[in-house]
Amino acid sequence: MTISYSSIGALSNSTTTITPAIPAGAVAGELAVLQVVSAHTNDSVPSTPSGWNLAGSSSGGGGTYGAGTGPRRLTFFTRVLLGGEAAPTTALPAGDANSLLAGRVVTLARTAGTGWRWGAAFGEDTTSGTGFSAASATSLTWASGDLALLGYALPVAGASLSAEGLTASGITFGTFTERADDSVATGHDARLGTATGSVTAGSGTTTSTVTATLAVASTGAAGVLRLREASASITATAQSVFPPRNLVSVTGLLAENVSTVTVYRQVGTARTVVRAASAVDVTGSNVLLRVDGEQPFGVPVSYVAVLTDVNGVQWVITSNSLTSSVSSDVISDAITGIGAAVRLQATSSRKRDRDATRFNVGGRRVMVSKPRSAPSFSLVLKTESDAAATDLDTVLDSATEGVILIRHRTQLARLDGHYAIPSDEEDPTWYDEQVVWTLEADAAEPWPDTLEAAGFTLQDIADNFTSLQDLATAFPGTLLDIALYDWG
């Protein structure tokens, strides 16, 4: 696993708007980093180019804003290239004749991983001198193979850089190579510097200090953009069981220092948090597994994980798409994993009521009421075998917290949902196995998020293997292989 420097585009500088070129030869999959040095009477952050991410921005150097003095701002923007992108445009507000804006685009390549991860930390040196040192108060996580892109924003155009470097407790960096050292003779002047280097040993979460030697004394701001190959991925697997359920696995969390994960089910553009998968603390864990037993049927479903790392930066990863197909409608209890195949026949009109009291006040009708209730209705359905009738009877008899989940064989938004069943009536057809059921249904809240959907258990292992050696022979890899196995 290696991240390497690819190329750097030409310097673009102006007073208010620049469009730095993406380096020739940049290819899809590379990460483009736009480093911008700016100065403005309002110390404004340059606008984020369309399709780019603001990775971080900081102003520093002390003093009063002016020619060759005062604070300069350093900003990093990032974009994973798809190929054929137009050069990015960034701008400062008008109204300052001495403002300045300068930038270059750096491209980087990776050899492995599922994507890119980054984190930024900034510092300032307010003591004018040729020994530049900008310490950051923000901690970043570091690991062997990470690439550090250093950026410098100085107010003195003639303060050329050398011996660029980075220090962090417990982390060893290789040699840093200068990529840019530009005199910016625009507005109140600036110096833009860029260097890259990699971690050769050590890991941990710590603050860092950007250093350099200047040709002439100056103050200024500096920062580091830490870059890493992403390892986290999310996979959805349909389990061969009735009622259908999907096993969602989020893996590769440790290498990205992920602290919390939230998993969503996505249908179209709508997202719903998967049961027991909201802001789960995964500190020290490499895998998060959750079973989704509440997905709609007959429509494509994918899963989205929002990863938050120890620095508070969030990343989004998306799974493959699945479509759960059934030949019947289903009434189930996702908490216990049981369900019944039914055929929905008809529903009565939906009724809502509210507690209300009417008053006659001086001939006017005044009503004091509470909020309108959830809807209730009668639902007629049919089971077509003795086994299905027994299954439905079991679901109704043992429903967790008295709540069931009703789903049409193809998603029916106006019906699919959670219901409480205060009463039910069955009408057998004695000459065959069909039973007509009438359920009184009240729309209900889903089960509490603390109740996890049922998956396969240790009993499934016991049912399939007679000894630990049999189990070890079948699963020679890791315990994760057992957790991901389809025990259906």
Side-chain angles (χ1 to χ4, degrees):
M1 297 175 64
T2 303
I3 297 177
S4 59
Y5 166 83
S6 290
S7 187
I8 189 167
L11 176 72
S12 177
N13 62 288
S14 180
T15 55
T16 57
T17 302
I18 58 173
T19 304
I22 294 175
V27 298
E30 289 188 333
L31 182 71
V33 178
L34 169 57
Q35 177 188 334
V36 176
V37 172
S38 62
H40 190 276
T41 187
N42 296 330
D43 196 22
S44 304
V45 177
S47 62
T48 302
S50 176
W52 290 66
N53 307 286
L54 173 61
S57 182
S58 184
S59 176
T64 302
Y65 168 65
T69 186
R72 295 295 184 264
R73 177 172 288 278
L74 173 66
T75 304
F76 292 123
F77 299 106
T78 58
R79 175 172 182 150
V80 179
L81 296 177
L82 299 176
E85 286 90 348
T89 296
T90 182
L92 288 172
D96 179 357
N98 295 307
S99 64
L100 67 92
L101 195 61
R104 281 181 180 264
V105 176
V106 177
T107 53
L108 306 159
R110 59 182 174 86
T111 60
T114 58
W116 292 90
R117 298 289 183 263
W118 55 80
F122 299 88
E124 63 175 336
D125 188 341
T126 58
T127 303
S128 183
T130 57
F132 184 86
S133 179
S136 169
T138 301
S139 295
L140 292 175
T141 59
W142 293 98
S144 183
D146 287 351
L147 185 137
L149 188 151
L150 307 183
Y152 299 82
L154 313 178
V156 178
S160 60
L161 297 134
S162 61
E164 294 93 331
L166 181 68
T167 60
S169 178
I171 310 300
T172 302
F173 295 94
T175 301
F176 279 83
T177 302
E178 183 177 277
R179 305 300 181 183
D181 189 5
D182 299 313
S183 173
V184 182
T186 300
H188 278 324
D189 295 347
R191 191 87 190 182
L192 181 153
T194 308
T196 59
S198 297
V199 176
T200 57
S203 64
T205 301
T206 183
T207 57
S208 55
T209 300
V210 178
T211 60
T213 299
L214 309 181
V216 297
S218 181
T219 59
V224 54
L225 186 67
R226 188 225 64 211
L227 301 165
R228 180 178 297 171
E229 293 171 326
S231 61
S233 62
I234 179 172
T235 303
T237 307
Q239 302 290 283
S240 55
V241 67
F242 182 87
R245 62 191 178 204
N246 296 329
L247 176 63
V248 184
S249 59
V250 186
T251 59
L253 303 177
L254 279 177
E256 296 185 24
N257 302 105
V258 176
S259 58
T260 62
V261 175
T262 298
V263 181
Y264 297 88
R265 177 195 317 117
Q266 181 161 324
V267 180
T269 59
R271 291 182 179 178
T272 305
V273 178
V274 172
R275 175 160 304 285
S278 178
V280 180
D281 185 350
V282 294
T283 303
S285 300
N286 196 43
V287 178
L288 176 67
L289 301 178
R290 285 296 183 265
V291 172
D292 184 16
E294 296 168 85
Q295 77 280 12
F297 300 140
V299 294
V301 174
S302 59
Y303 295 88
V304 175
V306 177
L307 315 177
T308 304
D309 68 19
V310 294
N311 298 120
V313 181
Q314 289 192 334
W315 309 95
V316 177
I317 55 177
T318 304
S319 78
N320 51 301
S321 178
L322 295 174
T323 300
S324 298
S325 299
V326 289
S327 58
S328 65
D329 306 313
V330 176
I331 290 181
S332 63
D333 180 341
I335 307 305
T336 60
I338 61 175
V342 302
R343 184 71 64 178
L344 301 178
Q345 302 288 293
T347 62
S348 65
S349 57
R350 292 179 173 238
K351 179 183 178 183
R352 296 176 176 85
D353 55 28
R354 69 175 85 216
D355 291 334
T357 303
R358 292 185 178 88
F359 298 92
N360 185 334
V361 181
R364 296 180 59 196
R365 300 280 287 184
V366 176
M367 184 174 71
V368 178
S369 65
K370 293 184 177 180
R372 186 173 176 231
S373 72
S376 61
F377 56 92
S378 293
L379 176 64
V380 179
L381 56 90
K382 180 171 62 175
T383 54
E384 298 180 330
S385 68
D386 288 343
T390 299
D391 290 342
L392 179 57
D393 190 63
T394 300
V395 174
L396 295 174
D397 189 54
S398 60
T400 302
E401 297 191 343
V403 173
I404 63 169
L405 175 62
I406 299 176
R407 285 173 288 175
H408 192 264
R409 69 183 71 87
T410 55
Q411 184 185 32
L412 196 60
R414 65 181 180 273
L415 175 67
D416 288 7
H418 299 80
Y419 297 91
I421 308 297
S423 66
D424 62 270
E425 178 182 345
E426 56 182 299
D427 182 13
T429 305
W430 300 113
Y431 50 82
D432 59 28
E433 296 185 6
Q434 294 187 5
V435 178
V436 176
W437 301 72
T438 302
L439 309 182
E440 296 301 319
D442 283 31
E445 294 293 322
W447 300 283
D449 188 58
T450 53
L451 299 178
E452 204 171 322
F456 294 104
T457 67
L458 292 176
Q459 184 62 54
D460 296 296
I461 297 176
D463 291 341
N464 285 272
F465 296 95
T466 57
S467 71
L468 291 177
Q469 184 57 57
D470 291 340
L471 186 63
T473 301
F475 298 100
T478 68
L479 293 175
L480 179 60
D481 297 329
I482 299 176
L484 295 176
Y485 186 70
D486 184 359
W487 293 94

